[in-house]
Amino acid sequence: MRKLSFVLLMAIILPFTTIAQTIAPEGIWIRPTDKNIQYVGRISFKNPESPLFTYPGVQINTCFTGSSLKMVAKPMSGYFMAQIDNAKPFKVSFYAPKDSIVTLATALPKGNHQVKLMYIVEGYELRPEFRGFIVDNGESLKPAPKLPERKIEFIGNSITCGYGTEGANGECHFLYETENHYYTYAALAAKNLDAQYQVVSRSGIGVYRNYNGPKSGNEKNMRYTYDYTLFMDESEKWDFSRFVPDVICINLGTNDTSTKNYDTSLLTDAYIKLVNQVRRNNPKAKIVMLCGSMMSGKQLADAKSCIDKAVETLKKNGENRIYKFDFTPADGSLGYGSDYHPSIAQHDNMAKELTAYLKKLMNW
């Protein structure tokens, strides 16, 4: 696990990474405060003209009129996936010091169009900011389609982030260019279930012990960061009324049990404390403890045992909406992403397993 630490698009959107422009564009710049822009995820609106976010999976949606659309963001914000109407999604790059505008579509037919954007990398270091859209002169934004009523929250580590999904093999190491949350089990399961979702995840984070941390644990673990809007930023507490999930999936433990230097009793206790913390903020949600798919051998056995003990204790203490689900461990048959993280194929398999489980659990 990772340590904490133009092409112009024609009427058919091409599935290539688009490179941001640095020239002043023509058209109407529509600011992020426009009522027709729909946001999903943990986003800070302290500066409403430049919303800030750090977690992958943040979504920005709208509809627009006209034949073209451009997006404006802070330079070095990172990578997004974009989809225009029902065309194939493509990657958008804001990963150069002067990049601030990218063309999402041009030469579109007349009429109304829809754009869906998803932030697909971890923004803790990049601190991405969205700064609006540019439409053709005389055109405007229109209301985005209504979001699904079902809601899921995913709490996790690099697996949920999408670390290395686009890596060639397990020998590759972390690059923002190969991290893509769009292809994760979380994003795919939510799509399968017709649910909106948000993510609280970071590579290397644990329940009590981050990757290669001391046996006694790390102070700034998931329990530390869960209450805040942005990762490792205490300036803004998250308002839990902004997103009320029906079910919360917690996929942690891989980093806690890393490098053999861990204490199972501390991990069990930390699981209990995290669930209680999540419950305080989400009194009605079902909570599902996920396990896998990166672990194997003793590491996997210990993580499963700790989760089982935590769930048992929680139930004895009156928690009657706690569940556990085990992913099939990765064995290499579906390939590996960077640093032996799940490949796109492995994530797809995980999504199918979780989709079936949540359909039954939630009666969806």
Side-chain angles (χ1 to χ4, degrees):
M1 305 291 284
R2 183 183 175 212
K3 294 182 179 181
L4 287 172
S5 347
F6 140 34
V7 299
L8 294 178
L9 303 176
M10 305 311 290
I12 297 176
I13 308 303
L14 300 178
F16 301 121
T17 298
T18 64
I19 307 301
Q21 305 177 76
T22 56
I23 60 174
E26 294 184 359
I28 302 170
W29 186 356
I30 300 179
R31 305 293 177 166
T33 53
D34 189 278
K35 64 181 181 179
N36 294 309
I37 301 177
Q38 180 187 82
Y39 297 94
V40 181
R42 291 199 177 190
I43 304 172
S44 173
F45 291 97
K46 278 187 173 182
N47 178 2
E49 294 290 337
S50 195
L52 167 65
F53 39 93
T54 57
Y55 292 114
V58 163
Q59 297 152 64
I60 303 169
N61 309 313
T62 194
C63 290
F64 63 100
T65 62
S67 63
S68 72
L69 182 71
K70 298 179 180 71
M71 171 185 173
V72 188
K74 188 194 80 173
M76 295 298 294
S77 282
Y79 294 92
F80 298 77
M81 288 291 282
Q83 184 178 25
I84 305 294
D85 299 330
N86 294 315
K88 186 175 181 178
F90 57 96
K91 188 181 286 189
V92 175
S93 173
F94 284 91
Y95 201 52
K98 294 183 179 180
D99 285 348
S100 59
I101 301 168
V102 62
T103 293
L104 301 180
T106 190
L108 292 170
K110 292 182 180 180
N112 294 327
H113 301 283
Q114 180 180 0
V115 60
K116 296 179 181 179
L117 289 166
M118 179 186 290
Y119 190 63
I120 57 170
V121 297
E122 301 170 64
Y124 166 50
E125 298 164 319
L126 301 172
R127 295 182 73 80
E129 297 179 25
F130 171 68
R131 293 176 177 171
F133 293 108
I134 296 173
V135 297
D136 297 335
N137 287 318
E139 304 296 344
S140 63
L141 297 188
K142 300 296 180 182
K146 185 178 179 181
L147 289 166
E149 293 185 3
R150 300 167 180 171
K151 294 181 181 179
I152 308 173
E153 180 174 81
F154 291 94
I155 303 171
N157 50 37
S158 58
I159 301 171
T160 304
C161 289
Y163 180 119
T165 51
E166 296 185 310
N169 54 60
E171 298 299 317
C172 299
H173 300 303
F174 180 84
L175 292 170
Y176 283 115
E177 290 84 349
T178 60
E179 182 172 55
N180 195 331
H181 174 80
Y182 189 86
Y183 299 115
T184 62
Y185 76 92
L188 295 173
K191 183 178 180 180
N192 293 343
L193 293 163
D194 189 28
Q196 57 173 299
Y197 76 103
Q198 73 172 17
V199 172
V200 185
S201 66
R202 170 67 179 173
S203 289
I205 204 163
V207 187
Y208 98 99
R209 175 179 178 259
N210 300 330
Y211 177 78
N212 201 28
K215 191 172 185 177
S216 58
N218 298 87
E219 179 184 355
K220 294 187 176 181
N221 50 43
M222 181 54 75
R223 287 182 288 130
Y224 166 86
T225 196
Y226 183 68
D227 288 342
Y228 298 104
T229 301
L230 306 173
F231 183 79
M232 294 300 176
D233 185 337
E234 298 180 15
S235 66
E236 183 179 349
K237 285 285 189 95
W238 173 245
D239 178 359
F240 286 90
S241 69
R242 285 171 55 183
F243 188 88
V244 182
D246 302 300
V247 59
I248 299 169
C249 297
I250 302 175
N251 191 0
L252 293 168
T254 305
N255 292 304
D256 299 86
T257 56
S258 64
T259 62
K260 301 180 180 180
N261 187 34
Y262 57 89
D263 185 319
T264 55
S265 63
L266 291 178
L267 177 54
T268 301
D269 184 60
Y271 274 126
I272 294 169
K273 290 178 178 177
L274 177 61
V275 171
N276 286 332
Q277 179 183 3
V278 170
R279 173 60 70 215
R280 285 195 298 273
N281 291 299
N282 303 276
K284 296 182 179 180
K286 291 183 177 180
I287 299 174
V288 181
M289 308 295 287
L290 306 180
C291 191
S293 64
M294 281 184 69
M295 296 179 284
S296 62
K298 185 177 186 301
Q299 179 191 20
L300 177 59
D302 285 344
K304 282 185 174 183
S305 177
C306 290
I307 293 173
D308 287 339
K309 291 176 182 177
V311 169
E312 182 181 3
T313 299
L314 286 160
K315 286 182 176 180
K316 286 182 179 178
N317 292 336
E319 174 56 71
N320 58 8
R321 284 168 291 172
I322 183 76
Y323 309 87
K324 178 175 179 281
F325 178 77
D326 296 321
F327 287 113
T328 299
D331 60 6
S333 62
L334 296 175
Y336 289 108
S338 303
D339 292 314
Y340 294 93
H341 282 70
S343 64
I344 291 176
Q346 188 73 49
H347 273 288
D348 184 64
N349 190 66
M350 293 169 69
K352 289 175 181 175
E353 293 179 342
L354 185 59
T355 297
Y357 177 79
L358 291 179
K359 274 186 177 180
K360 185 176 181 179
L361 176 69
M362 303 302 296
N363 194 26
W364 286 348

